[in-house]
Amino acid sequence: MSSVSTDELYPIAVLIDELKHDDVSLRIAAIERLSTIALALGPDRTRSELIPFLEESLDDEDEVLTVLAEQLGNFVPYIGGSQYANVLLPPLESFAGVEEPLVRDKAVESLNKIVNEMSSNQVEEYLLPLVKNLTTADWFTSKVSATGLYAAVYQKVTSQSKGGLRQLFGQLVYDDAPMVRRAAATHLTGLIPYIDAETVVADIVPFFLYLAQDDQDSVRLLTIDVLIAVSRLLGPEVVREHLLEQLKKLFADKSWRVRYMVADRFEQLALAVAAGDEMVLKTHFVPAMVRMLKDSEAEVRTVIAKQIPGFCQLVGRESVLEDILPCIEDLVNDPSQHVRAALATKISGLAPILGKDLTIKYLLPMFLQMLKDEFPEVRLNIICKLELVNNVIGIDLLSQSLLPAITQLAQDKQWRVRLAIIEYIPLLASQLGMEFFDTQLRDLCIAWLHDNVYSIRDAATENLKNLTKVFGVAWAKATIIPKVIEAGSNPNYLYRMTSCVAATTLAPVVTIDVIRDDLLPFLNNLAVDPIPNIRFSVARSYETLQRLLLEKAAEPELDSDAMVEATTPAPDEDARAREVRVADVNEIIRDIIVPNLEKLKEDEDVDVRFFANKSLQAIG
């Protein structure tokens, strides 16, 4: 062998040594580089030497086998193409039978990848025996892995072989081990789309009926998705004929886990089984919905609450009012906060279904009660969805009904309640619009700047920033900034301090002009405040504003009416505009910020001097 060849193969020898190394991490790293070995060896030697070597390495740590199983799924190009794909099957078949689920899952995933690259003849010759071996193995692990291969193999075999595969799958469905039946129920859903309707009725429906009556609830709950998959293929009428009776049993299953799965798929089930048949909906599905809304398990009530609007669109308004709405009223007072939170996310969806008058009569009282819920997520979820109600009853009625409750919460004696409302205000503002906000909520937001609790004042400044993002810079300049500046002359130094913080907080979301014309003059006035804490706060703000000004100068200008970039100019025009902005900003820093910091650097208070020096150093 030439020296060049020796040099080329040296890394291969190193990697093979690493595959035998005692250190697990080194073996994993070597396996992750298997493609390097394969490329160097070439397809022939990879098939004749590397793959047999890997088969001898099957007795290893689970972490190593997991990586190896994954790598083999991508190995077809390195062994000479799909015509040699069968070479990869023996090690993966062994992996499919090991005890560790992660290894088995990766092996099945890789086998499915290889099946997709193989021809139908190859699948018939090599994969059918493999699937049969796994299906008829003594140990459950192989059978579990087999269930994940049927869908991919079924698509590529002859009609005669398909019949044999269905019979083999039936053995897994009727297996004694619950783990195997569970895997069969899981993967039956993926197999159904590739089977014709007549065969589904003859072969698959019996599988479903057997699994749906399994003594293990972990198996029964998986049959819900099987039923939905069958219905997509057969249509509602055939499903009602063959599966409705079993579905009624699942509605009232003794296991809450099964009822939970039914509740989670309730709207899909209604569409699958009762689409176009109002009598079936009223006779079977509405009573089932009512039972689940009253279920003894909070988890079931939580998940069925999320199905309310979708299901109510399928049934008539009469059924909603007579049967479902009384249950919803009970859920508003449910002892579980998670149930109430789930209901709050969906209850607004009933407004378009009920219409204006019924929404005002039935839903608004529930909204008012939930807005006062002790659990913050409930209140948030109601506010998040107010737009749906607004579209139905109009902003005037909505504000008349709900605004008093929001205002009351905003002034609650518990500061944490006030804090929660502050956090919802930007969302509420985006729902209700600028005009309504200015007349009803703006003064409330300004008043929070004067709250006795620091956390409220701090949150109020952030709230103003978020409102500016919603309504735009022009709105902030005309509405918010004058109020902030006015607060800067308050006799209470804490409020003056808050106004300084508010000005700095607003700076990132306003334009250079607003910073220069409004915020900097305001801070300059505070720079001579008699309270040292305010003066060093101003010194710190100067550093922040200087950095923001430079950042804004380098970016496209903002539209003054909204927090969006203006129309992109031509490159040369943009470059010129940027140069002008940078020059203007440097002038602002040189003529306004630096002179004021120089004065503060000579302040009598040591903390003021410290922060002034720090800001000057940052400016450079």
Side-chain angles (χ1 to χ4, degrees), residues 449-450 481-493 495-500 522 525-526 529 534:
L449 292 172
H450 301 154
I481 292 177
K483 295 291 185 181
V484 171
I485 292 174
E486 183 182 333
S489 59
N490 193 290
N492 189 322
Y493 91 92
Y495 300 158
R496 299 200 301 277
M497 176 76 82
T498 301
S499 66
C500 177
F522 168 61
N525 292 333
L526 288 180
D529 194 277
I534 293 178

Side-chain angles (χ1 to χ4, degrees), residues 68 76 135 170 183 276 346 348 360 426 484 545 562 577 599:
L68 179 55
V76 171
T135 301
K346 295 296 182 180
S348 298
I360 295 170
V484 171
L545 291 184
K599 293 177 184 177

Side-chain angles (χ1 to χ4, degrees), residues 194-342:
Y194 305 110
I195 305 176
D196 62 89
E198 185 178 343
T199 304
V200 166
V201 173
D203 292 350
I204 304 304
V205 167
F207 292 169
F208 165 78
L209 293 174
Y210 181 82
L211 293 169
Q213 300 176 58
D214 198 280
D215 58 355
Q216 297 285 323
D217 62 355
S218 61
V219 176
R220 296 198 305 276
L221 65 86
L222 294 170
T223 60
I224 306 302
D225 287 333
V226 176
L227 191 154
I228 294 171
V230 168
S231 71
R232 287 173 180 160
L233 193 67
L234 301 182
E237 292 184 8
V238 179
V239 171
R240 286 197 292 272
E241 178 185 350
H242 294 281
L243 305 179
L244 181 58
E245 290 304 314
Q246 185 57 49
L247 179 59
K248 287 160 60 177
K249 295 177 183 178
L250 292 172
F251 282 155
D253 197 278
K254 62 183 178 180
S255 168
W256 73 267
R257 296 172 65 195
V258 177
R259 298 197 305 275
Y260 177 96
M261 187 62 74
V262 171
D264 189 54
R265 309 285 198 275
F266 199 81
E267 183 184 350
Q268 293 182 57
L269 288 169
L271 285 168
V273 178
D277 194 324
E278 191 173 339
M279 183 58 65
V280 173
L281 282 170
K282 286 187 175 182
T283 306
H284 302 295
F285 280 84
V286 171
M289 166 71 82
V290 170
R291 279 198 305 273
M292 290 182 178
L293 288 170
K294 297 179 178 180
D295 198 275
S296 58
E297 295 293 335
E299 288 84 354
V300 177
R301 299 197 303 275
T302 298
V303 76
I304 196 64
K306 297 177 181 179
Q307 301 288 311
I308 289 173
F311 178 71
C312 288
Q313 287 180 338
L314 302 177
V315 301
R317 187 182 296 180
E318 181 182 344
S319 294
V320 175
L321 292 173
E322 291 180 2
D323 301 308
I324 297 175
L325 208 55
C327 299
I328 295 174
E329 291 174 348
D330 292 338
L331 289 187
V332 171
N333 299 303
D334 195 276
S336 169
Q337 63 189 29
H338 302 294
V339 175
R340 301 196 305 274

